[in-house]
Coordinates of all heavy atoms in Angstrom, one line a residue:
I23 N 15.7 16.8 134.0 CA 14.6 15.9 134.1 C 15.1 14.5 133.7 O 14.8 13.5 134.4 CB 13.4 16.2 133.3 CG1 12.9 17.6 133.7 CG2 12.3 15.2 133.4 CD1 12.4 17.7 135.1
K24 N 15.9 14.4 132.7 CA 16.3 13.1 132.2 C 17.3 12.4 133.3 O 17.2 11.2 133.4 CB 17.1 13.2 130.9 CG 16.2 13.4 129.7 CD 16.9 13.4 128.4 CE 17.6 14.6 128.1 NZ 18.1 14.7 126.7
K25 N 18.0 13.2 134.0 CA 18.9 12.7 135.1 C 18.0 12.3 136.3 O 18.3 11.2 136.9 CB 19.9 13.7 135.5 CG 21.0 14.0 134.5 CD 22.0 15.0 135.0 CE 23.1 15.3 133.9 NZ 24.0 16.3 134.4
L26 N 17.0 13.0 136.6 CA 16.2 12.7 137.8 C 15.2 11.6 137.5 O 14.9 10.8 138.4 CB 15.4 14.0 138.2 CG 16.2 15.2 138.7 CD1 15.3 16.4 138.9 CD2 16.8 14.8 140.1
R27 N 14.7 11.6 136.3 CA 13.7 10.5 135.9 C 14.1 9.9 134.7 O 13.6 10.2 133.6 CB 12.3 11.2 135.8 CG 11.8 12.0 137.0 CD 11.4 11.0 138.1 NE 10.8 11.7 139.2 CZ 11.5 12.2 140.3 NH1 12.8 12.1 140.3 NH2 10.8 12.8 141.3
P28 N 15.0 8.9 134.7 CA 15.5 8.2 133.5 C 14.3 7.6 132.8 O 13.3 7.0 133.4 CB 16.4 7.1 134.1 CG 16.8 7.6 135.4 CD 15.7 8.4 136.0
G29 N 14.3 7.7 131.5 CA 13.2 7.1 130.7 C 12.1 8.1 130.5 O 11.1 7.8 129.9
A30 N 12.3 9.4 131.0 CA 11.2 10.3 130.9 C 11.0 10.9 129.5 O 9.9 11.3 129.1 CB 11.5 11.5 131.8
A31 N 12.0 10.8 128.6 CA 11.9 11.4 127.3 C 11.4 10.4 126.3 O 12.0 10.0 125.3 CB 13.3 11.9 126.9
S32 N 10.1 10.0 126.5 CA 9.5 9.1 125.6 C 9.0 9.8 124.3 O 8.4 10.9 124.4 CB 8.3 8.4 126.2 OG 8.7 7.7 127.4
P33 N 9.3 9.3 123.1 CA 8.8 10.0 121.9 C 7.3 9.8 121.7 O 6.7 9.0 122.4 CB 9.6 9.2 120.8 CG 9.8 7.9 121.4 CD 10.0 8.1 122.9
G34 N 6.8 10.6 120.8 CA 5.4 10.5 120.5 C 5.0 11.4 119.3 O 5.9 11.9 118.6
E35 N 3.7 11.5 119.1 CA 3.2 12.3 117.9 C 3.0 13.7 118.2 O 2.7 14.1 119.3 CB 1.9 11.7 117.5 CG 1.9 10.3 117.0 CD 0.5 9.8 116.6 OE1 -0.5 10.3 117.1 OE2 0.5 8.9 115.7
I36 N 3.2 14.5 117.2 CA 2.8 15.9 117.2 C 1.5 16.0 116.4 O 1.5 15.6 115.2 CB 3.9 16.9 116.6 CG1 5.2 16.7 117.3 CG2 3.4 18.3 116.6 CD1 6.3 17.5 116.7
V37 N 0.4 16.5 117.0 CA -0.9 16.6 116.3 C -1.5 18.0 116.4 O -1.1 18.8 117.3 CB -1.9 15.6 116.9 CG1 -1.3 14.1 116.8 CG2 -2.2 15.9 118.4
D38 N -2.4 18.3 115.5 CA -3.1 19.6 115.5 C -4.3 19.4 116.4 O -4.6 18.4 117.0 CB -3.4 20.1 114.1 CG -4.3 19.2 113.3 OD1 -5.0 18.4 114.0 OD2 -4.4 19.4 112.1
V39 N -5.1 20.5 116.5 CA -6.3 20.5 117.4 C -7.4 19.5 116.9 O -8.3 19.2 117.7 CB -6.9 21.9 117.5 CG1 -5.9 22.8 118.2 CG2 -7.2 22.5 116.1
E40 N -7.3 19.0 115.7 CA -8.3 18.1 115.2 C -7.7 16.6 115.3 O -8.4 15.7 114.8 CB -8.7 18.4 113.7 CG -9.4 19.7 113.6 CD -9.6 20.1 112.2 OE1 -9.1 19.4 111.3 OE2 -10.4 21.1 111.9
G41 N -6.5 16.5 115.8 CA -5.9 15.2 116.0 C -5.1 14.7 114.8 O -4.7 13.6 114.8
K42 N -4.9 15.5 113.8 CA -4.2 15.2 112.6 C -2.7 15.1 112.9 O -2.1 16.1 113.5 CB -4.4 16.2 111.5 CG -3.6 15.9 110.2 CD -3.9 16.9 109.1 CE -3.0 16.7 107.9 NZ -3.2 17.7 106.9
R43 N -2.0 14.1 112.6 CA -0.6 13.9 112.8 C 0.2 14.8 111.9 O 0.1 14.7 110.7 CB -0.2 12.5 112.7 CG 1.3 12.2 113.2 CD 1.6 10.8 113.2 NE 1.7 10.2 111.9 CZ 1.7 8.9 111.6 NH1 1.5 8.0 112.5 NH2 1.8 8.5 110.3
L44 N 1.1 15.6 112.5 CA 2.0 16.5 111.8 C 3.4 16.1 111.8 O 4.2 16.6 111.0 CB 1.8 17.9 112.3 CG 0.4 18.5 112.3 CD1 0.5 19.9 112.9 CD2 -0.1 18.6 110.9
G45 N 3.8 15.3 112.8 CA 5.2 14.9 112.9 C 5.4 14.1 114.2 O 4.4 13.6 114.8
F46 N 6.6 14.0 114.7 CA 6.9 13.3 115.9 C 7.8 14.2 116.8 O 8.6 15.0 116.3 CB 7.6 12.0 115.5 CG 6.8 11.0 114.8 CD1 6.8 11.1 113.4 CD2 6.0 10.1 115.4 CE1 6.0 10.2 112.6 CE2 5.1 9.3 114.7 CZ 5.2 9.3 113.3
H47 N 7.7 14.0 118.1 CA 8.6 14.6 119.0 C 9.4 13.6 119.8 O 9.2 12.4 119.7 CB 7.8 15.5 120.0 CG 6.9 14.6 120.9 ND1 7.4 13.9 122.0 CD2 5.6 14.3 120.9 CE1 6.4 13.3 122.6 NE2 5.3 13.5 121.9
D48 N 10.5 14.1 120.4 CA 11.5 13.1 121.1 C 11.3 13.2 122.6 O 12.2 12.9 123.3 CB 12.9 13.4 120.7 CG 13.3 14.8 120.9 OD1 12.5 15.6 121.4 OD2 14.5 15.2 120.7
G49 N 10.1 13.6 123.1 CA 9.9 13.7 124.5 C 9.2 15.0 124.9 O 9.7 16.1 124.6
L50 N 8.1 14.9 125.6 CA 7.3 16.1 126.0 C 8.1 17.0 126.9 O 7.8 18.2 127.0 CB 6.0 15.7 126.7 CG 5.0 14.9 125.8 CD1 3.7 14.6 126.6 CD2 4.6 15.8 124.6
I51 N 9.1 16.4 127.6 CA 9.9 17.3 128.5 C 10.7 18.4 127.8 O 11.2 19.3 128.5 CB 10.9 16.4 129.4 CG1 11.9 15.7 128.5 CG2 10.1 15.4 130.2 CD1 13.0 15.0 129.2
H52 N 10.7 18.3 126.5 CA 11.5 19.3 125.8 C 10.6 20.5 125.4 O 11.1 21.4 124.7 CB 12.1 18.7 124.5 CG 13.1 17.6 124.7 ND1 14.3 17.8 125.2 CD2 12.9 16.3 124.5 CE1 15.0 16.7 125.3 NE2 14.1 15.7 125.0
Y53 N 9.3 20.5 125.8 CA 8.4 21.5 125.3 C 7.6 22.2 126.5 O 7.4 21.5 127.5 CB 7.4 20.9 124.3 CG 8.1 20.2 123.2 CD1 8.4 18.8 123.2 CD2 8.5 20.9 122.0 CE1 9.0 18.2 122.2 CE2 9.1 20.2 121.0 CZ 9.4 18.9 121.1 OH 10.0 18.2 120.1
T54 N 7.2 23.4 126.2 CA 6.3 24.1 127.2 C 5.2 24.8 126.4 O 5.3 25.1 125.2 CB 7.1 25.2 128.0 OG1 7.6 26.1 127.0 CG2 8.2 24.5 128.8
V55 N 4.1 25.0 127.1 CA 2.9 25.7 126.4 C 3.4 27.1 125.9 O 4.0 27.8 126.7 CB 1.8 25.8 127.4 CG1 0.7 26.7 126.9 CG2 1.2 24.4 127.8
G56 N 3.0 27.4 124.7 CA 3.4 28.7 124.1 C 4.6 28.6 123.3 O 4.9 29.6 122.6
Q57 N 5.3 27.5 123.3 CA 6.6 27.4 122.6 C 6.3 27.4 121.1 O 5.4 26.7 120.6 CB 7.3 26.1 123.0 CG 8.7 25.9 122.3 CD 9.4 24.7 122.9 OE1 9.2 24.3 124.0 NE2 10.2 24.1 122.0
R58 N 7.2 28.1 120.3 CA 7.0 28.1 118.9 C 8.2 27.4 118.2 O 8.1 26.6 117.2 CB 6.9 29.5 118.3 CG 6.9 29.6 116.8 CD 6.9 31.1 116.4 NE 7.1 31.2 114.9 CZ 7.2 32.3 114.3 NH1 7.2 33.5 114.9 NH2 7.4 32.3 113.0
R59 N 9.4 27.8 118.6 CA 10.6 27.2 118.0 C 10.9 25.8 118.4 O 10.6 25.4 119.5 CB 11.8 28.1 118.3 CG 11.7 29.6 117.8 CD 12.9 30.4 118.1 NE 12.7 31.8 117.7 CZ 12.9 32.2 116.5 NH1 13.2 31.4 115.5 NH2 12.7 33.5 116.2
G60 N 11.6 25.1 117.5 CA 12.1 23.8 117.8 C 11.1 22.7 117.7 O 11.3 21.6 118.2
L61 N 10.0 22.9 117.0 CA 8.9 21.9 116.8 C 9.3 20.9 115.7 O 8.8 19.8 115.7 CB 7.6 22.5 116.6 CG 7.1 23.5 117.6 CD1 5.6 24.0 117.3 CD2 7.0 22.9 119.0
G62 N 10.1 21.3 114.8 CA 10.5 20.4 113.7 C 9.4 20.1 112.7 O 9.4 19.0 112.2
I63 N 8.5 21.0 112.5 CA 7.4 20.7 111.6 C 7.3 21.9 110.6 O 6.4 22.7 110.7 CB 6.0 20.5 112.3 CG1 5.8 21.5 113.4 CG2 6.0 19.0 112.8 CD1 4.4 21.3 114.0
G64 N 8.2 22.1 109.7 CA 8.3 23.2 108.8 C 7.3 23.0 107.6 O 6.6 22.0 107.6
G65 N 7.3 23.9 106.7 CA 6.5 23.8 105.5 C 5.1 24.2 105.7 O 4.3 23.8 104.8
L66 N 4.7 24.8 106.8 CA 3.3 25.2 107.1 C 3.1 26.7 106.7 O 4.0 27.5 106.8 CB 3.0 24.9 108.5 CG 3.2 23.4 109.0 CD1 3.0 23.3 110.5 CD2 2.2 22.5 108.2
R67 N 1.9 27.0 106.4 CA 1.6 28.4 106.0 C 1.6 29.3 107.3 O 2.1 30.4 107.2 CB 0.2 28.5 105.4 CG 0.1 27.8 104.1 CD -1.3 28.0 103.5 NE -1.8 26.9 102.7 CZ -3.0 26.8 102.2 NH1 -3.9 27.7 102.5 NH2 -3.3 25.7 101.5

């Protein structure tokens, strides 16, 4: 995707269902629905 669409990996916030910020991501293209690993937001119950 990065080769086909330069600039596609825009960073942004990671939020929960209530909109609370939990961290930051380095581009939505790195994630898919249902993914658990690689979120970079440890320390949660």
Side-chain angles (χ1 to χ4, degrees):
I23 301 299
K24 282 188 283 188
K25 288 181 181 179
L26 293 170
R27 301 290 186 269
S32 301
E35 295 180 334
I36 301 176
V37 301
D38 63 16
V39 292
E40 296 176 348
K42 178 183 177 181
R43 188 172 70 196
L44 302 178
F46 297 91
H47 65 79
D48 56 358
L50 294 179
I51 63 172
H52 299 289
Y53 306 92
T54 59
V55 171
Q57 181 176 331
R58 174 186 172 186
R59 299 182 182 278
L61 301 184
I63 46 174
L66 302 171
R67 294 184 211 171

